[in-house]
Amino acid sequence: LVVDESAESVSDLKTYGQKLTDLLLSIEATSSLIEIGVRKNNGQHLALSEFFSLINSKVFDQEFLAKNFDHDFTFFVYKNKDGFWPGLATKLQANKSWVILKPEIAKMEKSPDLASLFITDPGAPSGGFKDTLVVTQPARSLKFSTPSANLIYGWFHDYLLISTSEAGLKEAVGRL
């Protein structure tokens, strides 16, 4: 997925969701989990904080992301009969502890901007975040009214994984 820094053609004016959907529809994937490389038009990988800016998400503060997580991250999309469900895996910087960062990450649960993590409208949240287990590890989950739409996150092997699908998160954890 190439992110253009300046618009030079009409196709450059497409939104992140439009560009990602176009890309996904052009891929003949044999797997339900697709890793997507996100790069700037100069070939450089997009940093995690830049990605949240790209999707117009204010779920996390960009400075917080830059200070605590590696700039490189893995962006993935889970595909099922209900659509495409993005997610990401990001590793803590070497000198950081997920235990210390856990309360700051949990602040995302109060963000009014959670729908920005989806590429299609997830519908209305069904209640609040709830504790769950994913591959025996604790996670937090918020279901939405659209089938398969479930914002779920947790810590797995010093990685923070966030997915818009529980099945997508489980598959991503299995590939860490």
Side-chain angles (χ1 to χ4, degrees), residues 64-119:
F64 168 76
L65 293 172
K67 284 183 178 180
N68 295 292
F69 294 93
D70 287 349
H71 294 286
D72 192 20
F73 67 100
T74 300
F75 179 60
F76 61 87
V77 176
Y78 178 75
K79 178 184 172 185
N80 68 8
K81 65 179 178 52
D82 297 321
F84 297 111
W85 307 102
L88 62 88
T90 182
K91 189 170 175 55
L92 284 171
Q93 290 181 3
N95 59 342
K96 303 296 179 174
S97 165
W98 70 268
V99 175
I100 302 231
L101 296 179
K102 187 177 176 182
E104 191 67 31
I105 295 297
K107 289 180 182 178
M108 77 180 270
E109 295 183 14
K110 297 194 182 330
S111 174
D113 209 24
L114 295 175
S116 66
L117 300 173
F118 294 82
I119 57 173

Side-chain angles (χ1 to χ4, degrees), residues 8-36:
E8 296 177 11
S9 70
V10 174
S11 66
D12 293 342
L13 298 175
K14 288 183 179 181
T15 66
Y16 149 77
Q18 291 168 329
K19 286 181 179 183
L20 182 56
T21 300
D22 287 352
L23 176 64
L24 291 167
L25 291 173
S26 72
I27 297 173
E28 292 185 31
T30 56
S31 172
S32 57
L33 192 72
I34 305 158
E35 184 176 342
I36 307 285

Side-chain angles (χ1 to χ4, degrees), residues 5 11 41 58 60 76 84 95 106 108 120 125 153 159 173:
E5 296 175 36
S11 66
N41 58 359
K58 294 172 182 59
F60 296 111
F76 61 87
F84 297 111
N95 59 342
M108 77 180 270
T120 56
Y153 73 96
Y159 284 87
V173 168

